[in-house]
Amino acid sequence: MDEKPYFVELGQAIEICNRITLQSVVERVPLDDCYNRILATDLPSLVNDPPFDNSAMDGFAMRYEDTTNPPTDLEIIGVIQAAGQEDNFDVKKGQAVRIMTGAPMPKGADAILQIELTSSKNNKVTLSQEGMKNFIRKAGENLKKGEIAFEAGTHLTPSKIGLCATMGYPSLPVVRRLKVAIISTGDELKQPGDELERGEIYESNSFGLSGLVKWIGHTPTRLQCVGDTIDDLRNVLDKASSEFDLILTSGGVSMGEWDLVRKIMEEEGEIHFWRIKLRPGSPPLFGLWKDTPIFGLPGNPVSSHVVFRMLVAPWIRNTTSAKGPVEHRVRAKLATTVKPTKDSLTLRRVSIELGDEGLTAHQKIHQGSGNLASVAFSEGFAILQPMQEYSIGDTVDVILI
Ligand code: AMP
Ligand code: MG
């Protein structure tokens, strides 16, 4: 263990993790199931968007030059309510066609006026204003056929999935979801719903980690929680490495006698680094158990959450070629005093408020790494550099929770 990188900077830890990559598998998935997936190839549009010139308004279509001297009276020659009907018309001088939003423009017309600015009687319409050329949505003005709308690695959000449908895709090539095993360790852990004996607590990390795995688009499985015995741990790690792409453990990675995840990894696994300069969250290790990547996350619930976001998520994004960070960062002004640690990048849980002067960050909750409420009741992690002094009014980066 001595020569293994120890207590490394977060950036170095990410770099070490990224030396291990998983073979990425591409699968074609119906559009309905593409939410939160990673696009596997560049995606050209199969059609022009819109496919044809159409009206942006419910109103009348006419020749612009007929409307420059309002009010204007025009003869209504018909109605276009849907595709196909435009072929019936060729709008000539002095004529107008009633047209609905999204319906194709008839030949001859080059302007639209919305219905509210007109009045009609029998087959005559009076326009109170000039026609509007910019109320015509031009074929291909949003996307041209063949144009790459999304690059490989794009994280598929609801609006992006909608646009894929607009472009004509019933299904998409996406990166297969990673199967992630989650193993909590600790003799003191009970499942929620069971009766607590003295000294026991409810196991929460596997549930939180499971949510985080889903949040970045992969498939978690919470394996049985194991007590602090080497044999049980070995069995569950062997099972996990044979069935899953990635193993996350929680607990048992600190310096103590009973920190058995660290111990078994030292003796029987392969450790690539242990401990990082991140607080909360300094104890984790990364390595391989029988060729399967494994993150040994801390037991303290805030720490395991933070390490997932800061270390595991970037690695998963890298190995699945996902583009861009999944985190949303904002800048906020400190409204309360905050203190970093001496030696590590420090994440303080803050409430974020939007006021006249923009966003402000308030540290309101006690910051113990065992206090999961400090994450659950906060809106952000303020990112503080070690040793630096921060005063009220200073602007800091905040990762939204
Ligand atoms: P450990 O790293 O195993 O020493 O655990 C550190 C602290 O986190 C202890 O107070 C544990 O009781 C707590 N802890 C460990 N695992 C979990 C878990 N899965 N859920 C909630 N708390 C945990
Ligand atoms: Mg423990």
Side-chain angles (χ1 to χ4, degrees):
M1 181 63 214
D2 285 349
E3 72 284 4
K4 294 277 184 277
Y6 175 75
F7 203 38
V8 296
E9 303 278 346
L10 177 63
Q12 195 191 345
I14 292 172
E15 192 261 312
I16 293 172
C17 294
N18 285 349
R19 290 177 202 160
I20 302 288
T21 52
L22 298 172
Q23 178 90 37
S24 131
V25 181
V26 176
E27 60 186 1
R28 191 163 267 282
V29 164
L31 207 49
D32 262 333
D33 300 328
C34 284
Y35 171 65
N36 218 11
R37 302 293 297 263
I38 306 299
L39 188 64
T41 59
D42 290 354
L43 208 66
S45 183
L46 301 177
V47 293
N48 283 322
D49 172 32
F52 48 87
D53 289 4
N54 68 87
S55 174
M57 291 286 167
D58 192 12
F60 286 88
M62 75 298 293
R63 293 150 33 108
Y64 173 75
E65 63 185 44
D66 286 354
T67 69
T68 52
N69 229 340
T72 315
D73 287 343
L74 298 175
E75 177 202 355
I76 304 171
I77 58 170
V79 181
I80 305 175
Q81 175 260 325
Q85 297 167 350
E86 73 277 17
D87 293 341
N88 303 334
F89 304 104
D90 183 359
V91 180
K92 298 257 164 40
K93 189 172 167 49
Q95 295 183 330
V97 173
R98 178 82 176 92
I99 193 164
M100 309 303 156
T101 307
M105 288 295 290
K107 223 171 116 194
D110 61 355
I112 295 286
L113 194 64
Q114 63 265 51
I115 191 84
E116 308 89 278
L117 300 178
T118 69
S119 58
S120 42
K121 204 171 177 197
N122 302 326
N123 70 339
K124 201 190 83 183
V125 59
T126 306
L127 313 182
S128 65
Q129 260 183 223
E130 280 187 13
M132 309 284 277
K133 290 192 168 188
N134 61 348
F135 283 163
I136 299 168
R137 302 163 175 163
K138 293 282 188 192
E141 72 178 8
N142 303 329
L143 274 176
K144 299 258 180 304
K145 183 174 175 179
E147 189 178 334
I148 301 291
F150 299 121
E151 291 180 359
T154 297
H155 200 126
L156 293 165
T157 58
S159 61
K160 291 188 168 84
I161 290 170
L163 190 57
C164 290
T166 300
M167 296 193 296
Y169 287 95
S171 62
L172 295 175
V174 294
V175 177
R176 206 201 68 199
R177 293 184 199 274
L178 300 188
K179 289 186 280 177
V180 183
I182 301 172
I183 303 163
S184 278
T185 70
D187 286 338
E188 74 285 21
L189 304 176
K190 271 272 174 76
Q191 287 305 301
D194 290 352
E195 199 68 37
L196 287 184
E197 305 283 335
R198 189 179 155 79
E200 293 177 338
I201 58 167
Y202 288 124
E203 194 280 298
S204 63
N205 286 348
S206 70
F207 295 93
L209 290 168
S210 172
L212 285 165
V213 168
K214 286 183 194 163
W215 168 63
I216 60 165
H218 297 278
T219 308
T221 302
R222 295 184 318 96
L223 298 186
Q224 98 242 28
C225 177
V226 289
D228 292 317
T229 71
I230 285 279
D231 285 343
D232 288 353
L233 197 51
R234 186 186 301 111
N235 286 340
V236 74
L237 288 177
D238 282 348
K239 174 182 160 63
S241 72
S242 66
E243 294 174 17
F244 294 86
D245 301 308
L246 170 66
I247 304 171
L248 306 179
T249 62
S250 105
V253 283
S254 296
M255 323 262 194
E257 183 67 9
W258 292 103
D259 287 322
L260 298 185
V261 174
R262 175 186 50 78
K263 227 170 184 174
I264 200 171
M265 283 297 292
E266 276 173 1
E267 287 165 10
E268 303 175 36
E270 190 182 309
I271 295 182
H272 292 193
F273 68 78
W274 177 38
R275 306 197 67 221
I276 54 178
K277 293 184 180 172
L278 175 69
R279 294 187 196 267
S282 62
L285 60 77
F286 174 76
L288 295 174
W289 181 267
K290 311 221 161 121
D291 293 333
T292 304
I294 173 168
F295 287 87
L297 304 180
N300 275 308
V302 178
S303 308
S304 73
H305 185 101
V306 164
V307 174
F308 185 95
R309 282 177 174 262
M310 303 302 283
L311 185 67
V312 182
W315 179 79
I316 290 179
R317 306 264 307 158
N318 181 70
T319 198
T320 55
S321 305
K323 282 225 170 77
V326 70
E327 305 284 3
H328 293 291
R329 282 191 186 217
V330 296
R331 308 262 295 153
K333 263 194 184 155
L334 290 171
T336 51
T337 50
V338 291
K339 251 194 161 169
T341 54
K342 285 202 175 68
D343 56 3
S344 299
L345 190 69
T346 306
L347 271 60
R348 297 296 182 206
R349 281 122 275 159
V350 291
S351 301
I352 301 288
E353 285 167 21
L354 179 59
D356 292 342
E357 287 180 42
L359 298 176
T360 49
H362 308 247
Q363 183 184 308
K364 294 177 174 170
I365 296 184
H366 115 74
Q367 302 278 305
S369 59
N371 180 19
L372 190 55
S374 71
V375 183
F377 297 167
S378 297
E379 284 88 45
F381 291 108
I383 312 242
L384 310 178
Q385 298 302 323
M387 295 293 279
Q388 200 167 309
E389 296 223 345
Y390 291 90
S391 312
I392 291 175
D394 287 351
T395 301
V396 294
D397 276 14
V398 178
I399 290 177
L400 296 181
I401 287 173

